[in-house]
Amino acid sequence: MMAEYWSNLAMVTSVVVYLLALGAFAAEWAAARKLEPEVVPAGVLVASGGEEVIGDAPAPEVAAPTSKAPDDTATRIRVDMFGRMGLALTLIGWASHLAGVVMRGVAGNRFPWGNMYEFVTAAMLFIVTIFLVLAFRGVRWLGLPVTLLAVIGQGLAVTVFYVAVAPLVPALHSVWFVIHIVAAAVAGAAFNVGGLLSILYLLKSRAVRREKVRGYLAKLPSPTRIDELAYRFHAFAFPLWTFAIAAGSVWAEYAWGRFWGWDPKETWSLVTWVVYAGYLHARATAGWRGRRAAVVAIVGLACFWFNFVGINLLVSGLHSYAGI
């Protein structure tokens, strides 16, 4: 069908454009290595364990030395140019990606979430969408990790996970399937952005601890701010993930006659839920911040991806309709 052809073409195009965007963001980071930081982080003390100790009031920022290399201004212009180029390419890739997902639905005359290829492409679309919203609000510095994730995810989708358009299996003919998948995909996108922020937190806090905040790391917010953003995304995603599991249970009752059966996908959804519940609980009750919270968040992200992809590839179960 023509719709399927155009969907495939748009998906492959999105991978190529995301790869170009990744190159532009990588060039931005590389060019920024030649810059001296504009300010030296202050008001943040880092203990030997890597945790931040924040005073009641932040100390004022300390200006960097006024002497600059003759080509410093030109370098900053180059850094900004690469960043804008990366953002523009990401927007083009997102538009192609969106067209591919929509055309896939048109080709199948259904919601395009019937197998792992469609799940992955939809999830990547939500992740890039979140990044673009953040980028136009001043959070362009997430461009490199997000486009790297998009290239890997979309690349695997169009090369390894791809299956031709086919009708849904009977178990998926339910409105609860749509509700479950949308909630899980949005929650997963927020978990991924929160996980990427946690990784950037570890990089920035390590640089602060070693007093080597140079290059692009100097353009990132303080470790405290990155940690706070990561927490907000996880706090947003967790209720959605809880709802996705509940909606999935209702769908399971409709499709298989039971709410819960310890299917591998159900079990790992619960494991992922427990890890993120532990993350939020530790922050709220034990006061975990910084490195310990970031490590738990990254463990949760690994559990999410194992549940999202690994279970389909390695384990057989009632969710093995994924088409790979």
Side-chain angles (χ1 to χ4, degrees), residues 3-18:
E4 183 176 2
Y5 168 80
W6 288 113
S7 173
N8 295 342
L9 181 61
M11 292 294 192
V12 173
T13 301
S14 72
V15 177
V16 174
V17 179
Y18 285 149

Side-chain angles (χ1 to χ4, degrees), residues 109-243:
N109 195 29
R110 56 175 174 77
F111 289 104
W113 304 315
N115 50 64
M116 192 161 73
Y117 166 75
E118 295 173 357
F119 293 159
V120 172
T121 55
M124 290 298 109
L125 181 64
F126 281 120
I127 292 170
V128 177
T129 300
I130 290 176
F131 163 66
L132 289 174
V133 172
L134 292 174
F136 287 107
R137 294 173 62 88
V139 191
R140 195 178 71 192
W141 40 267
L142 265 176
L144 181 64
V146 167
T147 51
L148 176 61
L149 181 61
V151 168
I152 294 173
Q154 281 290 89
L156 287 174
V158 301
T159 57
V160 178
F161 303 151
Y162 177 77
V163 293
V165 174
L168 294 177
V169 299
L172 304 185
H173 288 282
S174 169
V175 67
W176 284 104
F177 161 68
V178 176
I179 295 172
H180 167 68
I181 293 300
V182 170
V186 175
F191 280 144
N192 273 268
V193 174
L196 293 176
L197 286 165
S198 297
I199 294 171
L200 288 178
Y201 166 82
L202 293 177
L203 294 175
K204 181 66 182 268
S205 63
R206 180 174 179 268
V208 171
R209 187 167 63 250
R210 296 188 174 189
E211 299 182 353
K212 294 182 179 180
V213 186
R214 297 178 55 85
Y216 204 84
L217 289 178
K219 297 175 69 67
L220 301 183
S222 70
T224 306
R225 176 59 177 162
I226 298 174
D227 185 49
E228 179 186 343
L229 284 173
Y231 169 71
R232 289 183 178 181
F233 274 98
H234 288 111
F236 168 78
F238 183 74
L240 275 178
W241 187 251
T242 304
F243 175 75

Side-chain angles (χ1 to χ4, degrees), residues 269-289:
S269 295
L270 180 61
V271 169
T272 304
W273 185 91
V274 169
V275 172
Y276 282 118
Y279 167 86
L280 295 175
H281 179 73
R283 290 191 69 112
T285 62
W288 279 25
R289 299 288 188 275

Side-chain angles (χ1 to χ4, degrees), residues 224-317:
T224 306
R225 176 59 177 162
I226 298 174
D227 185 49
E228 179 186 343
L229 284 173
Y231 169 71
R232 289 183 178 181
F233 274 98
H234 288 111
F236 168 78
F238 183 74
L240 275 178
W241 187 251
T242 304
F243 175 75
I245 293 176
S249 296
V250 176
W251 167 36
E253 167 65 18
Y254 169 86
W256 301 313
R258 89 290 188 280
F259 288 101
W260 192 268
W262 295 105
D263 178 78
K265 181 75 73 172
E266 296 169 349
T267 302
W268 273 93
S269 295
L270 180 61
V271 169
T272 304
W273 185 91
V274 169
V275 172
Y276 282 118
Y279 167 86
L280 295 175
H281 179 73
R283 290 191 69 112
T285 62
W288 279 25
R289 299 288 188 275
R291 188 173 65 180
R292 290 181 296 181
V295 169
V296 176
I298 294 169
V299 170
L301 185 60
C303 291
F304 171 84
W305 276 108
F306 181 75
N307 178 51
F308 199 53
V309 176
I311 290 295
N312 288 31
L313 297 177
L314 303 176
V315 183
S316 297

